[in-house]
Amino acid sequence: MRSIGLRTSVAVLTLLLAVLFLAACNNPAGPYQASEYIFGTRIDIEISGLPPDRARAAADQVFAFYRQLHSELHAWQPGALMTLNQTLAAGKPARTTPHIRELIRLSQQYEAASGGLFNPAIGKLIALWGFHNDEPQAQPPSAAQVKDFMAQLPHMSDYHIEGDTVTSDNRNGWLDFGGIAKGWAVDRGMEMLRRAGVKNAIINAGGDLKGIGSHGDRPWRVGVRDPQGGVLAALEVGENEAIFTSGNYERFYQWHGKRFHHIIDPRSGYPAQLSSSVTVISQNSTLADAAATALLIAGVQDWQRTAADMGMNTVLVVARDGSLLMTPAMKKRLQLLDQKPVKTH
Ligand code: ADP
Ligand code: MG
């Protein structure tokens, strides 16, 4: 979801799904599959067990909704969120959409649950680091710029909602839902499919996905990307489960030989340094998206505590040295494709 700051998350590869899609193309009775490029990432919807015309109508409805969300939630291009951010930055109250109000409320919960690691109010800091551009700008801010921002660090708790109107106590706040909107959109899209009578489907947003039902007589199955390249492991997607990954390799630029990526630690104002990627499994893809981002920032030291605080019990962390840290629930699920040092917690 690059265009709303989310950018492509290719952390969970869709190799296996791609094979299934090919099979479907050759088989008129096979699953229906459609893709669109929205939120700066490729969205794949695959539906099985329905006549193609009904499956197409259901998927088209979801894509139409996503096209509308794309501008509504964009963090740095004209749309409802941009208007809200500009009005609040001018110190005025602003009416906004039900979707944005819901994302504010959810983000307030997740900021609190993550001990402040997940903080979508830091849009100005993300812009300062060069990520409010389709192509990240290849130069970090000065230490003084970061320090100035941190002196007035905005929080989600600065925002107040009354009726359809939002106010903020901190004019330094700028909402960027890049760490949560894709998960929220996947949850909403899956609800739309269910209402249209779909019982077996996958919505895959650039590798972050949710599934219901099965693929014929087999479960849906996806690959987990190795941050160093290739595929690390496979996972079967359980009923109504979301599998979301955040990685420090998703969006970044190099400056004087150093890599700067798009997930910023609100404690320091600098890109999070600790892990390479975090994959979580949850029934709630909105929470999964926020938690993957927060756990990446928590790093190898703090991920367990943050996972427990956010209610995530199926978690994989790939540390910067390539070693794997995971919860016992993840250990039961992960099908490793290679021998890797595994530490279970
Ligand atoms: P991706 O969507 O690229 O897979 P994430 O879900 O982790 O990855 O979202 C990253 C995006 O989240 C960033 O591009 C930025 O818009 C936003 N973001 C960065 N740091 C934070 C943070 N500390 N809290 C909340 N959102 C953040
Ligand atoms: Mg996220």
Side-chain angles (χ1 to χ4, degrees):
M1 285 182 114
R2 167 201 265 168
S3 312
I4 57 173
L6 292 166
R7 173 69 162 159
T8 339
S9 172
V10 282
V12 180
L13 286 182
T14 50
L15 292 180
L16 296 159
L17 284 175
V19 171
L20 299 177
F21 295 161
L22 285 177
C25 296
N26 300 330
N27 175 6
Y32 171 81
Q33 191 273 323
S35 312
E36 265 191 43
Y37 196 82
I38 316 178
F39 311 134
T41 197
R42 186 178 137 162
I43 313 256
D44 290 297
I45 298 182
E46 187 174 353
I47 296 171
S48 73
L50 266 195
D53 53 336
R54 278 190 63 199
R56 178 177 301 109
D60 282 353
Q61 222 190 349
V62 176
F63 283 129
F65 175 60
Y66 285 176
R67 284 192 292 270
Q68 174 212 322
L69 279 186
H70 176 89
S71 59
E72 183 179 349
L73 300 182
H74 207 295
W76 69 88
Q77 282 177 16
L81 187 62
M82 175 91 148
T83 304
L84 174 67
N85 279 326
Q86 285 171 332
T87 313
L88 295 177
K92 296 184 210 143
R95 295 172 77 174
T96 197
T97 68
H99 296 150
I100 292 175
R101 298 199 303 269
E102 189 177 332
L103 281 164
I104 292 174
R105 289 197 185 93
L106 290 167
S107 297
Q108 287 175 329
Q109 287 172 27
Y110 300 155
E111 188 197 16
S114 67
L117 299 182
F118 181 77
N119 182 356
I122 60 168
K124 283 189 183 163
L125 183 61
I126 292 163
L128 211 52
W129 280 100
F131 292 104
H132 278 184
N133 293 290
D134 283 347
E135 286 312 318
Q137 108 203 359
Q139 189 173 338
S142 69
Q145 285 175 297
V146 175
K147 201 171 160 219
D148 283 353
F149 178 87
M150 294 303 286
Q152 299 163 42
L153 179 68
H155 292 284
M156 287 309 304
S157 51
D158 295 329
Y159 291 82
H160 309 285
I161 301 175
E162 223 177 290
D164 60 4
T165 300
V166 182
T167 53
S168 169
D169 302 332
N170 188 334
R171 287 172 67 170
N172 203 27
W174 187 276
L175 297 168
D176 172 344
F177 292 126
I180 184 176
K182 196 160 51 181
W184 184 78
V186 167
D187 273 337
R188 299 292 80 77
M190 197 53 96
E191 283 167 9
M192 291 174 83
L193 292 184
R194 280 179 186 279
R195 278 199 299 275
V198 174
K199 302 225 165 16
N200 304 284
I202 282 258
I203 301 180
N204 183 342
D208 289 334
L209 54 93
K210 185 168 206 182
I212 56 170
S214 61
H215 177 268
D217 51 7
R218 287 163 296 170
W220 302 104
R221 199 160 180 261
V222 293
V224 179
R225 174 173 162 179
D226 185 337
Q228 277 154 31
V231 180
L232 186 69
L235 280 169
E236 286 183 358
V237 187
E239 179 55 26
N240 199 35
E241 267 185 357
I243 303 181
F244 270 65
T245 300
S246 283
N248 68 6
Y249 48 81
E250 301 277 359
R251 271 197 104 192
F252 63 88
Y253 56 83
Q254 306 269 3
W255 173 252
H256 290 294
K258 207 166 178 274
R259 190 192 257 226
F260 294 92
H261 65 82
H262 70 317
I263 296 175
I264 313 294
D265 187 338
R267 295 169 298 190
S268 63
Y270 285 74
Q273 286 300 325
L274 296 160
S275 305
S276 284
S277 75
V278 173
T279 300
V280 302
I281 305 181
S282 167
Q283 299 267 319
N284 179 338
S285 64
T286 316
L287 173 59
D289 194 358
T293 306
L295 290 173
L296 191 79
I297 300 168
V300 292
Q301 302 302 326
D302 288 336
W303 70 273
Q304 287 172 280
R305 193 183 60 199
T306 308
D309 291 347
M310 298 190 83
M312 291 287 106
N313 65 355
T314 313
V315 180
L316 166 70
V317 177
V318 182
R320 273 149 71 95
D321 65 3
S323 63
L324 306 181
L325 308 149
M326 64 184 97
T327 58
M330 180 61 92
K331 188 153 189 242
K332 283 194 198 130
R333 299 278 306 266
L334 198 72
Q335 301 160 13
L336 282 174
L337 303 182
D338 203 359
Q339 283 311 310
K340 285 259 172 192
V342 179
K343 295 179 197 160
T344 311
H345 292 265

